[in-house]
Amino acid sequence: MIALEPEFIVPQDGYEKQDCERAAGKRWLEQHGSRYAELKATLLGDDLYCHQPFCEQVLEKKFNFIFVCKPDSHPELYQTVAYLQAQGAVEQFSERVWKGKRAEIYTYRYVNQVPLRAGADALQVNWCEMTIQHETTGKNHLSECLGYSA
């Protein structure tokens, strides 16, 4: 992991209101993207960044990304995943991981080339999900993400 220059969320020239994280991310890509493109780095981000215009900008600058993708903000993507799951097209495997005093079951699900949003121009992404389940209690901890490799 490499720490990169920050881009602060502050009022920009000509604006009275403070801008947002996504705007700061776009500025960072414009200012520093070409400098780091040769590293073929993978950007990590939360659901805020997982929107097609920002993802396209990331790819344009020659980065890969892994962004959290929540079902509430990406219903079309999750409808596609559910359909593919029903067709048996979502890959899955599990492994038992010993954690010293207890075991957890890690289950991975993934599918490649699914549309990020509705529409013919939707960016095709690779989706994955990791579920961690406490073996004894059955309590789940869920982490969802999607990634794209250019």
Side-chain angles (χ1 to χ4, degrees), residues 47 50-51 67-82 109 116-117 127-129 142-146:
D47 187 71
C50 191
H51 295 279
F67 294 148
V68 172
C69 181
K70 294 181 179 180
D72 291 347
S73 56
H74 295 83
E76 296 88 359
L77 172 66
Y78 280 88
Q79 288 170 2
T80 301
V81 170
R109 295 187 325 135
L116 180 58
R117 65 180 188 191
W127 174 88
C128 65
E129 170 187 85
L142 180 64
S143 175
E144 296 148 313
C145 65
L146 85 112

Side-chain angles (χ1 to χ4, degrees), residues 15-77:
Y15 293 91
E16 291 183 23
K17 290 180 68 176
Q18 179 171 300
D19 65 349
C20 66
E21 288 179 49
R22 198 176 324 164
K26 289 177 182 180
R27 280 197 312 277
W28 186 91
L29 281 172
E30 288 303 316
Q31 292 173 15
H32 305 289
S34 58
R35 179 176 172 195
Y36 293 105
E38 66 187 47
L39 297 176
K40 298 184 192 257
T42 300
L43 301 180
L44 307 177
D46 62 18
D47 187 71
L48 178 68
Y49 298 99
C50 191
H51 295 279
Q52 185 155 330
F54 188 76
C55 293
E56 287 173 337
Q57 189 175 3
V58 167
L59 294 171
E60 205 174 271
K61 295 294 183 183
K62 308 294 185 217
F63 287 95
N64 298 310
F65 62 83
I66 299 175
F67 294 148
V68 172
C69 181
K70 294 181 179 180
D72 291 347
S73 56
H74 295 83
E76 296 88 359
L77 172 66

Side-chain angles (χ1 to χ4, degrees), residues 114-139:
V114 291
L116 180 58
R117 65 180 188 191
D121 66 337
L123 181 65
Q124 299 293 304
V125 296
N126 301 327
W127 174 88
C128 65
E129 170 187 85
M130 181 177 82
T131 304
I132 303 172
Q133 182 180 42
H134 189 283
E135 186 177 59
T136 307
T137 66
K139 184 177 178 183

